[in-house]
Amino acid sequence: GLRLRARDGAGAVRMRAAIGLSTFLLLRRSMSAAALSTSAGAGRVHKGVVYDEQGRVTKCLFCDIVAKREPSTTVFENEEHVAFKPLTSGSRHEHLLVVPREHVRNVHELAPGEASVRLLEGMAETGWQALEACGHDRSADVLMAFHVPPFNSIDHLHLHVLVRPLTWVGAIKYSPETYWTCSVEDLIGRLRPARQARAAAPLAPGPREPPPPPPR
């Protein structure tokens, strides 16, 4: 859960009220998305994606943005990713979404291993390139994070790239110290292959050299 710093008086009340309101809105959005998942002739609609009876994706909002079948404020794209602005910003300066061209449902579909690490590192690098295209440099204080299901809004993996300071709602909604948000650095650390993690870990102390023999 959230780690709160000690605050006094009205500040503590406002902070707790903001956290409670944001948590309620996140939960309500998740419950509404589940309630709106309906069976239709074309398939099941859930979080901006249409699935057929076998669970295969037949239509996706972000896939349509990538293919330019849906309008968006795209600021940067390359062979692997597209970066565009969300409808609502959680930052006082810049908020972008980076999505892979290939459909990946959410962070739960990322298997541990080098392929997932390369995907996330590529999305983060594209996030920096997109910020540069918007006039920011790499000295900016930037948060890159994913929402963890069921708190993701669209069933197509997307990285939130936010330049601090955030709005008061954004500071809660995109806080990586919560159960609904995970920073890209933390996620990469969890998915990195164990052998790489061992290689990066400090070496364990070796056997001690035996003491010299006592003088005769």
Side-chain angles (χ1 to χ4, degrees):
L2 281 174
R3 296 184 179 89
L4 294 177
R5 294 181 179 179
R7 292 173 179 258
D8 298 323
V13 175
R14 286 195 296 270
M15 174 62 79
R16 286 169 174 78
I19 292 171
L21 174 61
S22 182
T23 302
F24 169 75
L25 292 174
L26 284 167
L27 289 170
R28 188 178 69 172
R29 185 180 70 180
S30 174
M31 294 172 65
S32 298
L36 289 173
S37 297
T38 58
S39 297
R44 186 175 67 92
V45 182
H46 184 67
K47 292 187 176 183
V49 179
V50 180
Y51 300 91
D52 65 13
E53 295 180 353
Q54 286 73 43
R56 295 171 299 196
V57 175
T58 61
K59 186 176 178 60
C60 167
L61 174 60
F62 283 179
C63 286
D64 286 346
I65 288 176
V66 166
K68 303 187 186 305
R69 293 189 294 264
E70 285 285 341
S72 69
T73 309
T74 298
V75 298
F76 183 84
E77 57 185 304
N78 53 34
E79 293 182 356
E80 297 180 341
H81 314 108
V82 175
F84 53 91
K85 297 187 178 184
L87 296 178
T88 304
S89 178
S91 166
R92 298 185 186 278
H93 291 302
E94 199 77 70
H95 184 174
L96 304 175
L97 298 180
V98 176
V99 302
R101 292 184 181 274
E102 181 179 353
H103 186 90
V104 179
R105 185 173 181 181
N106 55 53
V107 296
H108 287 170
E109 288 202 347
L110 299 175
E114 295 179 0
S116 294
V117 170
R118 285 196 299 269
L119 169 64
L120 297 178
E121 289 178 340
M123 292 178 71
E125 174 59 25
T126 297
W128 280 113
Q129 293 175 2
L131 287 176
E132 289 174 335
C134 293
H136 304 277
D137 59 38
R138 301 207 176 201
S139 64
D141 186 6
V142 174
L143 169 65
M144 297 190 184
F146 297 92
H147 277 134
V148 178
F151 300 102
N152 59 317
S153 56
I154 302 293
D155 265 354
H156 184 133
L157 185 69
H158 51 285
L159 175 65
H160 291 271
V161 180
L162 304 105
V163 178
R164 293 186 175 96
L166 309 185
T167 64
W168 71 271
V169 172
I172 300 169
K173 186 176 177 181
Y174 302 102
S175 172
E177 297 182 357
T178 62
Y179 54 84
W180 56 76
T181 306
C182 180
S183 71
V184 67
E185 296 87 358
D186 184 41
L187 190 55
I188 288 174
R190 296 184 189 187
L191 297 175
R192 193 175 297 279
R195 62 184 178 84
Q196 292 186 16
R198 287 196 300 269
L203 295 175
R208 292 185 179 180
E209 183 179 352
R216 293 181 179 178

